[in-house]
Amino acid sequence: MFESLTARLGDIFDRLKRRGALSEADVETALREVRVALLEADVALPVVKDFIERVKGDAIGAEVVRSVTPGHMVVKIVHDRLVETLGAASIGLDLAAAAPVVVLIVGLQGSGKTTSAAKIGRMLQERDRKRVLMASLDVYRPAAQTQLAVLGETAGVPTLPVVAGQEPVAIARRAHDAARREGFDVLLLDTAGRLHVDADLMDEAAAIAAATDPTEILLVADSLTGQDAVNVARAFQDRLKLTGIVLTRMDGDGRGGAALSMRAVTGCPIKLIGVGEKIDAIEPFHPERVASRILGMGDVVSLVEKAAATIEEADAARLQAKLESGGFDLDDMAAQLRQLRKMGGVEGVLGFLPGAAKIKKQVADANIDFKILARQEAIIGSMTKRERKNAKLLNARRKQRIAVGSGTSVPEINRLLKQYMEMESMMRKMRKLGKRGFLRNLPFGGPQFPR
Amino acid sequence: MAAAAVASRGLLSRLKAGLARTSDRLSGGITRIFRGRRVDPATIAELEELLIGADLGVATAARLAASLAREKIDRDVTVDDVRAALARDIAAILAPLARPLPIDPARKPTVILVVGVNGTGKTTTIGKLAKRLKDDGLVVHLAAGDTFRAAAIDQLKIWGERAGCPVLAREQGSDPAGLAYDALVQAKAAGADVLLIDTAGRLHNRTELMAELQKVLRVLRKLDPEAPHVRLLVLDATTGQNAHQQVETFRGMTEINGLVVTKLDGTAKGGVLVALAERFGLPVHFIGVGEAIEDLRPFEAQAFADALVGLDRSEAGGNP
């Protein structure tokens, strides 16, 4: 999500790292480039200025100048400041109030409020075992209330029945009554998208807040937002006493400067991030990880978590058993290909790794076909069971049949087999070494897990 | 505010309304920098920052500031001089972009595919555009190709009713390419002038979703090798520099040949469009300045540039 900025700062600090000593002028040069990089990353100008000033105050000093590795020192200072600006720790939703706890969701049009509402509803219900009721107060956009109802059905979260022609504040009151009467723990109120400069609609949002006394007022904002992020955040904060921010579309390739801007302007924590279109694609915000990624240090923690969640226990245990017995066949290779694909393919994995922004760019420049994983799966899928157990059976005629079946070519099959042979021999070597290092050495030419 | 009052206000005033509300926008910033000061390296640097703050991007901001410096350096200028010079330079960049939607009455139908990232306003734009084209006397068909988002189909149907245009829709989750194909068959048979095809919002870095759009293009071309004649990308004016990646990827993968910029009634003035114009030169057919059906307006370079820098021609008229 922050790859572009990572690449940029990586370049700058590469330059710094190559120098023995760091002068004040060096700090100035580096920070000028950090400044441009942050601006290009859509961090709002006032936030950038403030940030650079603080970093400069820290960086220009005897400690840095006398430091053995001045580049690293600057990286650390910038990193610490980034984390500080983003907020020190990830904070969950505050549900410590008398039931029904009201969570009000506000934001601009198209920021992803309704989708986020459904995701939050499902999360609270599944993870926190709360009884959640959702209600849409959007009486303006055609079919908005239907959208939440449909999403609620998908997520298994009940929604307030729609009464045509009712005003938003009245719907909010009805929802509150229903939630109280029917013993719900949490009431999620999804509101209409509104411009922060639309006085009438901002009044309406304030009236809804006054009528329902929400414990959480969440501003849903698009992480692709530009310089305007500060204006939007400030306007909502002035009017509504926000308690948190939900950043959507963090799975995009936006540089995410809006995260810094909104956090700095409102002082509200970024509580959750939306990372995909699926109903469970919502995650806590981790400032440390984001700051690390900005600085090209890689989001290692996320990678490990993702790997742990993706590689199914059973599959892993089966592979482990295979390892011990020494038999690694093409079925096992297919299982590994699937796991790698689930983790977001080579590109997805690369994005998490330290210094990977650069590699990723090189990979992109080299024009490597990432569909190769799927094609390789198709090749294995076109083999018979016997062939998959025993690759030695594969003669020229069989290969031709497989090529036709999988829509590939014989050379591609040969490449796959060569890779399989390499993996197989590596597996044998690893067996000799013992179980250790199974995860660390997923035998692909590509990603190696962090140590 | 009353709907009538909204409708009666001109485009420029609608665009400028946001500016007036927030003092540190581009317009107010220019006043702050240049009131009683000369054009010198210090004021130019401040101007550059101000332009970056309006999403013009570092490179474009630097070029515009440098252009002003070359022309006016060390001269006393009025705030309006600065505004006028900036507006002129920006309008010059934008002018080639202001082109009408290429609808050829001989085509029957001209097929318009509308694509973009989630939440930029595709369905709403189609609704407004349908009304507009219908009012021009054209026969317009709609295809509810966003089969992913909950209730997007209902949303387009309601717009279709408002505009009085037939909408081809299937249940949620059906294949958008198949729907587009059938919609084109029907539109051809009915002798429609325009077919507007909605698509689900998608992040441009999701390769599999972009491939889905490519399939829509391929399938339409089986019926008409030229279709879809217009591939419109809908951009949200609040988007920052990521708009570059959006345009680049959508252009590369779905051959977009036109833009619509929405949500210009907020405080974001779509400054990124200036940088996009320099880099891609794609025509901008419409801008969205509000929620009402008539708030989709043709793009005018000068008006846009004036609004961006806060130049009011009726007031500035007396100054050189």
Side-chain angles (χ1 to χ4, degrees), chain A residues 417-447:
Chain A
L417 288 174
K418 187 163 171 247
Q419 200 182 335
Y420 163 70
M421 296 298 179
E422 282 166 8
M423 287 167 74
E424 207 251 334
S425 79
M426 201 167 153
M427 286 288 185
R428 247 180 289 141
K429 275 184 218 148
M430 278 166 69
R431 186 163 54 108
K432 284 181 193 151
L433 289 173
K435 298 180 198 176
R436 280 177 52 240
F438 161 65
L439 254 184
R440 293 212 303 250
N441 291 292
L442 262 186
F444 279 94

mmCIF file of all heavy atoms in Angstrom, chain A residues 417-447:
data_model
loop_
_atom_site.group_PDB
_atom_site.id
_atom_site.type_symbol
_atom_site.label_atom_id
_atom_site.label_comp_id
_atom_site.label_asym_id
_atom_site.label_seq_id
_atom_site.Cartn_x
_atom_site.Cartn_y
_atom_site.Cartn_z
ATOM 1 N N LEU A 417 8.727 -29.135 -14.728
ATOM 2 C CA LEU A 417 9.317 -30.378 -14.238
ATOM 3 C C LEU A 417 10.724 -30.142 -13.690
ATOM 4 O O LEU A 417 11.112 -30.720 -12.686
ATOM 5 C CB LEU A 417 9.341 -31.425 -15.354
ATOM 6 C CG LEU A 417 7.955 -31.988 -15.702
ATOM 7 C CD1 LEU A 417 8.040 -32.916 -16.907
ATOM 8 C CD2 LEU A 417 7.342 -32.723 -14.505
ATOM 9 N N LYS A 418 11.444 -29.256 -14.359
ATOM 10 C CA LYS A 418 12.786 -28.950 -13.890
ATOM 11 C C LYS A 418 12.709 -28.331 -12.488
ATOM 12 O O LYS A 418 13.449 -28.705 -11.578
ATOM 13 C CB LYS A 418 13.456 -27.965 -14.863
ATOM 14 C CG LYS A 418 14.910 -27.714 -14.543
ATOM 15 C CD LYS A 418 15.647 -27.093 -15.725
ATOM 16 C CE LYS A 418 17.035 -26.657 -15.280
ATOM 17 N NZ LYS A 418 17.219 -25.214 -15.281
ATOM 18 N N GLN A 419 11.756 -27.400 -12.347
ATOM 19 C CA GLN A 419 11.560 -26.753 -11.049
ATOM 20 C C GLN A 419 11.172 -27.780 -9.989
ATOM 21 O O GLN A 419 11.659 -27.751 -8.867
ATOM 22 C CB GLN A 419 10.449 -25.706 -11.207
ATOM 23 C CG GLN A 419 10.448 -24.651 -10.132
ATOM 24 C CD GLN A 419 9.278 -23.693 -10.333
ATOM 25 O OE1 GLN A 419 8.781 -23.521 -11.446
ATOM 26 N NE2 GLN A 419 8.827 -23.078 -9.262
ATOM 27 N N TYR A 420 10.306 -28.710 -10.408
ATOM 28 C CA TYR A 420 9.876 -29.761 -9.493
ATOM 29 C C TYR A 420 11.076 -30.591 -9.037
ATOM 30 O O TYR A 420 11.219 -30.885 -7.854
ATOM 31 C CB TYR A 420 8.822 -30.641 -10.163
ATOM 32 C CG TYR A 420 8.619 -31.960 -9.458
ATOM 33 C CD1 TYR A 420 8.000 -32.018 -8.209
ATOM 34 C CD2 TYR A 420 9.081 -33.138 -10.019
ATOM 35 C CE1 TYR A 420 7.848 -33.219 -7.548
ATOM 36 C CE2 TYR A 420 8.932 -34.347 -9.369
ATOM 37 C CZ TYR A 420 8.311 -34.387 -8.129
ATOM 38 O OH TYR A 420 8.174 -35.576 -7.483
ATOM 39 N N MET A 421 11.930 -30.946 -9.993
ATOM 40 C CA MET A 421 13.112 -31.761 -9.664
ATOM 41 C C MET A 421 13.987 -31.024 -8.633
ATOM 42 O O MET A 421 14.451 -31.614 -7.668
ATOM 43 C CB MET A 421 13.971 -32.028 -10.911
ATOM 44 C CG MET A 421 13.277 -32.859 -11.979
ATOM 45 S SD MET A 421 12.841 -34.503 -11.392
ATOM 46 C CE MET A 421 12.047 -35.164 -12.849
ATOM 47 N N GLU A 422 14.157 -29.724 -8.875
ATOM 48 C CA GLU A 422 14.970 -28.932 -7.945
ATOM 49 C C GLU A 422 14.361 -28.927 -6.554
ATOM 50 O O GLU A 422 15.054 -29.086 -5.546
ATOM 51 C CB GLU A 422 15.099 -27.489 -8.448
ATOM 52 C CG GLU A 422 16.108 -27.334 -9.563
ATOM 53 C CD GLU A 422 15.979 -25.990 -10.274
ATOM 54 O OE1 GLU A 422 15.212 -25.131 -9.796
ATOM 55 O OE2 GLU A 422 16.641 -25.821 -11.321
ATOM 56 N N MET A 423 13.041 -28.733 -6.535
ATOM 57 C CA MET A 423 12.357 -28.709 -5.251
ATOM 58 C C MET A 423 12.489 -30.060 -4.547
ATOM 59 O O MET A 423 12.716 -30.129 -3.342
ATOM 60 C CB MET A 423 10.872 -28.395 -5.462
ATOM 61 C CG MET A 423 10.615 -26.962 -5.831
ATOM 62 S SD MET A 423 8.928 -26.721 -6.418
ATOM 63 C CE MET A 423 8.010 -26.824 -4.896
ATOM 64 N N GLU A 424 12.326 -31.076 -5.342
ATOM 65 C CA GLU A 424 12.349 -32.416 -4.782
ATOM 66 C C GLU A 424 13.717 -32.711 -4.153
ATOM 67 O O GLU A 424 13.796 -33.238 -3.044
ATOM 68 C CB GLU A 424 12.015 -33.422 -5.893
ATOM 69 C CG GLU A 424 11.380 -34.697 -5.403
ATOM 70 C CD GLU A 424 12.317 -35.874 -5.509
ATOM 71 O OE1 GLU A 424 13.206 -35.817 -6.381
ATOM 72 O OE2 GLU A 424 12.170 -36.802 -4.722
ATOM 73 N N SER A 425 14.771 -32.318 -4.856
ATOM 74 C CA SER A 425 16.099 -32.607 -4.317
ATOM 75 C C SER A 425 16.374 -31.730 -3.094
ATOM 76 O O SER A 425 17.002 -32.159 -2.134
ATOM 77 C CB SER A 425 17.163 -32.403 -5.391
ATOM 78 O OG SER A 425 17.444 -31.044 -5.540
ATOM 79 N N MET A 426 15.824 -30.536 -3.115
ATOM 80 C CA MET A 426 15.976 -29.660 -1.960
ATOM 81 C C MET A 426 15.252 -30.248 -0.752
ATOM 82 O O MET A 426 15.728 -30.196 0.373
ATOM 83 C CB MET A 426 15.390 -28.295 -2.306
ATOM 84 C CG MET A 426 15.895 -27.182 -1.443
ATOM 85 S SD MET A 426 15.415 -25.644 -2.225
ATOM 86 C CE MET A 426 15.330 -24.608 -0.797
ATOM 87 N N MET A 427 14.078 -30.774 -1.017
ATOM 88 C CA MET A 427 13.309 -31.411 0.040
ATOM 89 C C MET A 427 14.107 -32.545 0.671
ATOM 90 O O MET A 427 14.087 -32.744 1.879
ATOM 91 C CB MET A 427 11.994 -31.976 -0.533
ATOM 92 C CG MET A 427 10.974 -30.917 -0.846
ATOM 93 S SD MET A 427 10.297 -30.242 0.673
ATOM 94 C CE MET A 427 9.038 -29.168 0.043
ATOM 95 N N ARG A 428 14.765 -33.286 -0.204
ATOM 96 C CA ARG A 428 15.557 -34.413 0.314
ATOM 97 C C ARG A 428 16.680 -33.903 1.227
ATOM 98 O O ARG A 428 16.924 -34.440 2.288
ATOM 99 C CB ARG A 428 16.125 -35.229 -0.844
ATOM 100 C CG ARG A 428 15.496 -36.630 -0.911
ATOM 101 C CD ARG A 428 16.073 -37.428 -2.049
ATOM 102 N NE ARG A 428 15.617 -36.923 -3.347
ATOM 103 C CZ ARG A 428 16.383 -36.837 -4.431
ATOM 104 N NH1 ARG A 428 17.659 -37.181 -4.370
ATOM 105 N NH2 ARG A 428 15.889 -36.394 -5.558
ATOM 106 N N LYS A 429 17.306 -32.812 0.763
ATOM 107 C CA LYS A 429 18.393 -32.244 1.575
ATOM 108 C C LYS A 429 17.845 -31.755 2.916
ATOM 109 O O LYS A 429 18.464 -31.947 3.960
ATOM 110 C CB LYS A 429 19.030 -31.058 0.845
ATOM 111 C CG LYS A 429 20.111 -31.474 -0.129
ATOM 112 C CD LYS A 429 20.756 -30.246 -0.735
ATOM 113 C CE LYS A 429 21.071 -30.485 -2.194
ATOM 114 N NZ LYS A 429 20.979 -29.271 -3.011
ATOM 115 N N MET A 430 16.664 -31.104 2.847
ATOM 116 C CA MET A 430 16.093 -30.559 4.069
ATOM 117 C C MET A 430 15.737 -31.654 5.046
ATOM 118 O O MET A 430 15.835 -31.482 6.253
ATOM 119 C CB MET A 430 14.844 -29.736 3.743
ATOM 120 C CG MET A 430 15.178 -28.337 3.281
ATOM 121 S SD MET A 430 13.767 -27.549 2.543
ATOM 122 C CE MET A 430 12.728 -27.328 3.955
ATOM 123 N N ARG A 431 15.323 -32.795 4.499
ATOM 124 C CA ARG A 431 14.972 -33.911 5.369
ATOM 125 C C ARG A 431 16.190 -34.304 6.212
ATOM 126 O O ARG A 431 16.097 -34.610 7.380
ATOM 127 C CB ARG A 431 14.507 -35.090 4.531
ATOM 128 C CG ARG A 431 13.994 -36.253 5.364
ATOM 129 C CD ARG A 431 13.187 -37.189 4.504
ATOM 130 N NE ARG A 431 13.974 -37.592 3.345
ATOM 131 C CZ ARG A 431 14.479 -38.820 3.197
ATOM 132 N NH1 ARG A 431 14.303 -39.733 4.114
ATOM 133 N NH2 ARG A 431 15.167 -39.126 2.121
ATOM 134 N N LYS A 432 17.342 -34.246 5.536
ATOM 135 C CA LYS A 432 18.565 -34.592 6.257
ATOM 136 C C LYS A 432 18.833 -33.593 7.371
ATOM 137 O O LYS A 432 19.360 -33.922 8.419
ATOM 138 C CB LYS A 432 19.749 -34.632 5.294
ATOM 139 C CG LYS A 432 19.736 -35.890 4.446
ATOM 140 C CD LYS A 432 20.922 -35.909 3.515
ATOM 141 C CE LYS A 432 20.739 -36.977 2.455
ATOM 142 N NZ LYS A 432 21.418 -36.624 1.208
ATOM 143 N N LEU A 433 18.483 -32.324 7.114
ATOM 144 C CA LEU A 433 18.735 -31.283 8.112
ATOM 145 C C LEU A 433 17.742 -31.342 9.267
ATOM 146 O O LEU A 433 17.940 -30.720 10.292
ATOM 147 C CB LEU A 433 18.630 -29.899 7.465
ATOM 148 C CG LEU A 433 19.746 -29.522 6.513
ATOM 149 C CD1 LEU A 433 19.406 -28.203 5.829
ATOM 150 C CD2 LEU A 433 21.072 -29.403 7.233
ATOM 151 N N GLY A 434 16.661 -32.058 9.064
ATOM 152 C CA GLY A 434 15.633 -32.103 10.099
ATOM 153 C C GLY A 434 14.482 -31.191 9.748
ATOM 154 O O GLY A 434 14.453 -30.592 8.673
ATOM 155 N N LYS A 435 13.552 -31.075 10.663
ATOM 156 C CA LYS A 435 12.328 -30.334 10.367
ATOM 157 C C LYS A 435 12.565 -28.837 10.298
ATOM 158 O O LYS A 435 11.804 -28.111 9.720
ATOM 159 C CB LYS A 435 11.293 -30.586 11.466
ATOM 160 C CG LYS A 435 10.865 -32.018 11.610
ATOM 161 C CD LYS A 435 9.848 -32.090 12.735
ATOM 162 C CE LYS A 435 9.711 -33.524 13.211
ATOM 163 N NZ LYS A 435 8.817 -33.600 14.361
ATOM 164 N N ARG A 436 13.579 -28.386 11.000
ATOM 165 C CA ARG A 436 13.778 -26.949 11.102
ATOM 166 C C ARG A 436 13.866 -26.294 9.727
ATOM 167 O O ARG A 436 14.428 -26.849 8.795
ATOM 168 C CB ARG A 436 15.060 -26.647 11.878
ATOM 169 C CG ARG A 436 14.873 -26.743 13.389
ATOM 170 C CD ARG A 436 16.187 -26.494 14.101
ATOM 171 N NE ARG A 436 16.809 -25.263 13.672
ATOM 172 C CZ ARG A 436 18.020 -25.236 13.104
ATOM 173 N NH1 ARG A 436 18.690 -26.334 12.889
ATOM 174 N NH2 ARG A 436 18.532 -24.095 12.756
ATOM 175 N N GLY A 437 13.321 -25.140 9.659
ATOM 176 C CA GLY A 437 13.500 -24.378 8.431
ATOM 177 C C GLY A 437 12.489 -24.698 7.342
ATOM 178 O O GLY A 437 12.643 -24.262 6.222
ATOM 179 N N PHE A 438 11.446 -25.415 7.687
ATOM 180 C CA PHE A 438 10.454 -25.724 6.660
ATOM 181 C C PHE A 438 9.827 -24.448 6.088
ATOM 182 O O PHE A 438 9.816 -24.218 4.894
ATOM 183 C CB PHE A 438 9.374 -26.642 7.248
ATOM 184 C CG PHE A 438 8.112 -26.654 6.460
ATOM 185 C CD1 PHE A 438 8.098 -27.158 5.163
ATOM 186 C CD2 PHE A 438 6.930 -26.145 6.986
ATOM 187 C CE1 PHE A 438 6.926 -27.169 4.434
ATOM 188 C CE2 PHE A 438 5.774 -26.152 6.246
ATOM 189 C CZ PHE A 438 5.767 -26.663 4.974
ATOM 190 N N LEU A 439 9.375 -23.608 6.995
ATOM 191 C CA LEU A 439 8.705 -22.393 6.541
ATOM 192 C C LEU A 439 9.682 -21.411 5.906
ATOM 193 O O LEU A 439 9.356 -20.687 4.984
ATOM 194 C CB LEU A 439 8.033 -21.695 7.729
ATOM 195 C CG LEU A 439 6.515 -21.805 7.805
ATOM 196 C CD1 LEU A 439 5.994 -20.992 8.959
ATOM 197 C CD2 LEU A 439 5.857 -21.367 6.505
ATOM 198 N N ARG A 440 10.882 -21.404 6.452
ATOM 199 C CA ARG A 440 11.846 -20.406 5.988
ATOM 200 C C ARG A 440 12.316 -20.680 4.579
ATOM 201 O O ARG A 440 12.863 -19.823 3.924
ATOM 202 C CB ARG A 440 13.055 -20.391 6.918
ATOM 203 C CG ARG A 440 12.730 -19.889 8.304
ATOM 204 C CD ARG A 440 13.925 -19.184 8.880
ATOM 205 N NE ARG A 440 15.083 -20.060 8.909
ATOM 206 C CZ ARG A 440 15.598 -20.541 10.027
ATOM 207 N NH1 ARG A 440 15.035 -20.272 11.170
ATOM 208 N NH2 ARG A 440 16.652 -21.307 9.990
ATOM 209 N N ASN A 441 12.167 -21.913 4.142
ATOM 210 C CA ASN A 441 12.742 -22.254 2.849
ATOM 211 C C ASN A 441 11.723 -22.815 1.889
ATOM 212 O O ASN A 441 11.959 -23.821 1.255
ATOM 213 C CB ASN A 441 13.876 -23.258 3.042
ATOM 214 C CG ASN A 441 15.050 -22.617 3.726
ATOM 215 O OD1 ASN A 441 15.701 -21.762 3.156
ATOM 216 N ND2 ASN A 441 15.290 -23.001 4.961
ATOM 217 N N LEU A 442 10.585 -22.180 1.817
ATOM 218 C CA LEU A 442 9.631 -22.595 0.799
ATOM 219 C C LEU A 442 10.399 -22.647 -0.505
ATOM 220 O O LEU A 442 10.909 -21.635 -0.970
ATOM 221 C CB LEU A 442 8.498 -21.575 0.676
ATOM 222 C CG LEU A 442 7.201 -21.887 1.418
ATOM 223 C CD1 LEU A 442 6.174 -20.839 1.035
ATOM 224 C CD2 LEU A 442 6.705 -23.274 1.113
ATOM 225 N N PRO A 443 10.549 -23.810 -1.090
ATOM 226 C CA PRO A 443 11.512 -23.943 -2.169
ATOM 227 C C PRO A 443 11.017 -23.369 -3.498
ATOM 228 O O PRO A 443 10.702 -24.091 -4.412
ATOM 229 C CB PRO A 443 11.736 -25.446 -2.258
ATOM 230 C CG PRO A 443 10.547 -26.059 -1.620
ATOM 231 C CD PRO A 443 9.903 -25.067 -0.751
ATOM 232 N N PHE A 444 10.958 -22.078 -3.555
ATOM 233 C CA PHE A 444 10.668 -21.411 -4.821
ATOM 234 C C PHE A 444 11.804 -20.455 -5.136
ATOM 235 O O PHE A 444 12.432 -19.933 -4.222
ATOM 236 C CB PHE A 444 9.370 -20.606 -4.733
ATOM 237 C CG PHE A 444 8.162 -21.467 -4.920
ATOM 238 C CD1 PHE A 444 7.506 -21.994 -3.838
ATOM 239 C CD2 PHE A 444 7.728 -21.775 -6.193
ATOM 240 C CE1 PHE A 444 6.412 -22.799 -4.014
ATOM 241 C CE2 PHE A 444 6.632 -22.569 -6.371
ATOM 242 C CZ PHE A 444 5.962 -23.097 -5.283
ATOM 243 N N GLY A 445 12.022 -20.221 -6.371
ATOM 244 C CA GLY A 445 13.061 -19.267 -6.736
ATOM 245 C C GLY A 445 12.772 -17.911 -6.115
ATOM 246 O O GLY A 445 13.665 -17.130 -5.853
ATOM 247 N N GLY A 446 11.514 -17.636 -5.849
ATOM 248 C CA GLY A 446 11.097 -16.309 -5.426
ATOM 249 C C GLY A 446 11.286 -16.011 -3.944
ATOM 250 O O GLY A 446 12.393 -15.976 -3.440
ATOM 251 N N PRO A 447 10.185 -15.809 -3.227
ATOM 252 C CA PRO A 447 10.276 -15.221 -1.897
ATOM 253 C C PRO A 447 10.875 -16.158 -0.855
ATOM 254 O O PRO A 447 10.525 -17.324 -0.780
ATOM 255 C CB PRO A 447 8.821 -14.931 -1.559
ATOM 256 C CG PRO A 447 8.046 -15.896 -2.371
ATOM 257 C CD PRO A 447 8.807 -16.118 -3.616
#
